[in-house]
């Protein structure tokens, strides 16, 4: 298991510049959040690949920039749009992720009230994942507040319907925002959890850099994840307004690595 950091921590700084910032602070495991179509190929993509190589990074996960519209592209009652989106919008993402060496492409899923049945939703996720796997990566569904995946019960439904074809990203920050104890996901999803986003919190903010004296118990998280057999990565994913300096982010990275060694 390793600690990593998401390039999204620096948003809206450009993706390649964010990755350089992570490399300069010694981060060796990263999630890349792409923010524009031009970053998926051509000169910008080659630059991102070169940055990865220069700093000796492992890119474990790829976060597309269309999360706000996944309900429209993938989980609407206009079926043709789903198939068109797979080819024209998401195939380039799968290809870019595979070329970076990423293992997972992360989905938020449908926001708000779904316009298709749960069964059709599961079928769409299965087809999305099959397309991803044909190009060398896998899809993973995140538990995001106000989206379908915020519910442990819905995630469990997808697991029961899809079995080994279902992967989940556990985000402890999003669980806090949903007012769901993240342990509920552990109790029922277990081996389906393949990737974890971590952050801390305090009395004033629900997303802060992990640090000694913070309110989130990372020792407990790591112990519980070990008990369910988790051997994936822990990615620090923050909002840029939740920290002030690179030093804060670097200290969080070092702090979690020290706990991991314990």
């Amino acid at each position: 298991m390793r600690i990593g950091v998401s390039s999204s921590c620096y948003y809206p700084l450009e993706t390649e510049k964010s990755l350089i910032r992570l490399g300069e602070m010694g981060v060796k495991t990263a999630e890349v959040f792409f923010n524009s179509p031009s970053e998926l190929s051509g000169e910008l993509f080659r630059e991102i690949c070169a940055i990865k190589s220069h700093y000796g990074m492992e890119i474990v996960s790829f976060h597309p920039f269309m999360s706000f519209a996944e309900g429209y592209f993938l989980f609407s009652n206009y079926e043709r749009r789903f198939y068109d989106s797979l080819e024209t919008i998401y195939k380039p993402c799968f290809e870019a992720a595979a070329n970076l060496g990423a293992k997972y492409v992360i989905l938020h899923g449908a926001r708000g009230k779904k316009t298709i049945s749960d069964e059709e939703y599961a079928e769409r996720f299965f087809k999305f994942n099959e397309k991803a796997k044909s190009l060398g990566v896998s899809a993973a569904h995140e538990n995001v507040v106000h989206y379908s995946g915020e519910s442990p019960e819905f995630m469990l439904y997808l697991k029961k319907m899809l079995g080994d074809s279902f992967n989940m990203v556990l985000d402890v920050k999003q669980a806090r925002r949903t007012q769901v104890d993240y342990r509920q996901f552990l109790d029922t999803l277990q081996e389906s959890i393949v990737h974890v986003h971590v952050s801390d919190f305090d009395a004033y903010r629900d997303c802060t850099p992990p640090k000694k004296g913070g309110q989130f118990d990372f020792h407990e998280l790591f112990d519980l994840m070990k008990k369910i057999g988790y051997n994936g990565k822990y990615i620090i994913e923050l909002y840029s307004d939740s920290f002030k300096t690179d030093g804060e982010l670097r200290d969080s990275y070092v702090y979690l690595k020290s706990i991991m060694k314990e």
Side-chain angles (χ1 to χ4, degrees), residues 47-243:
E47 182 178 357
I48 289 168
C49 290
I51 294 166
K52 170 203 166 185
S53 298
H54 176 75
Y55 290 104
M57 287 183 177
E58 175 192 14
I59 306 300
V60 65
S61 48
F62 178 108
H63 210 309
F65 53 87
M66 300 83 68
S67 299
F68 72 98
E70 286 168 2
Y72 179 78
F73 288 131
L74 301 174
F75 300 106
S76 80
N77 54 10
Y78 199 76
E79 187 176 20
R80 179 186 297 162
R81 187 186 301 122
F82 167 75
Y83 290 104
D84 287 350
S85 296
L86 277 186
E87 290 298 322
T88 62
I89 297 174
Y90 290 96
K91 182 180 177 182
C93 293
F94 299 150
E95 292 173 336
N99 287 331
L100 274 173
K103 192 170 183 180
Y104 300 109
V105 172
I106 298 174
L107 280 182
H108 285 185
R111 180 179 174 88
K113 185 177 180 180
K114 298 187 296 296
T115 59
I116 56 176
S117 68
D118 289 352
E119 183 177 1
E120 179 66 13
Y121 191 107
E123 183 179 345
R124 298 277 182 90
F125 182 88
F126 176 80
K127 290 177 179 178
F128 183 90
N129 192 30
E130 288 298 295
K131 182 67 174 180
K133 289 194 292 185
S134 74
L135 295 166
V137 291
S138 295
H141 199 310
E142 188 174 1
N143 62 301
V144 180
V145 65
H146 303 312
Y147 286 74
S148 299
E150 70 175 6
S151 162
E153 291 77 18
F154 183 69
M155 291 295 218
L156 179 59
Y157 172 81
L158 293 179
K159 174 184 176 180
K160 289 179 176 178
M161 290 289 289
L162 302 176
D164 293 341
S165 293
F166 178 66
N167 300 311
M168 177 187 166
V169 180
L170 173 65
D171 188 313
V172 298
K173 164 179 74 273
Q174 295 296 337
R176 283 195 293 273
R177 292 185 162 192
T178 313
Q179 298 184 331
V180 171
D181 190 324
Y182 76 88
R183 301 173 190 83
Q184 293 185 45
F185 291 104
L186 271 59
D187 291 342
T188 58
L189 276 299
Q190 297 196 7
E191 71 280 358
S192 295
I193 300 173
V194 298
H195 193 61
V196 179
H197 287 158
V198 294
S199 57
D200 213 327
F201 69 102
D202 58 29
Y204 307 100
R205 298 172 296 171
D206 63 9
C207 179
T208 64
K211 62 182 179 180
K212 187 175 182 179
Q215 295 195 29
F216 188 80
D217 191 338
F218 288 99
H219 290 86
E220 180 183 40
L221 172 67
F222 294 160
D223 287 344
L224 290 174
M225 295 303 293
K226 184 177 180 180
K227 287 178 182 178
I228 66 172
Y230 181 73
N231 60 2
K233 309 297 191 296
Y234 295 90
I235 301 295
I236 299 170
E237 187 188 61
L238 308 172
Y239 301 112
S240 59
D241 62 358
S242 63
F243 64 100

Side-chain angles (χ1 to χ4, degrees), residues 2-19:
R2 289 186 181 181
I3 304 299
V5 185
S6 173
S7 68
S8 67
C9 293
Y10 287 113
Y11 182 84
L13 185 67
E14 292 88 344
T15 301
E16 67 279 8
K17 294 178 183 177
S18 300
L19 204 57

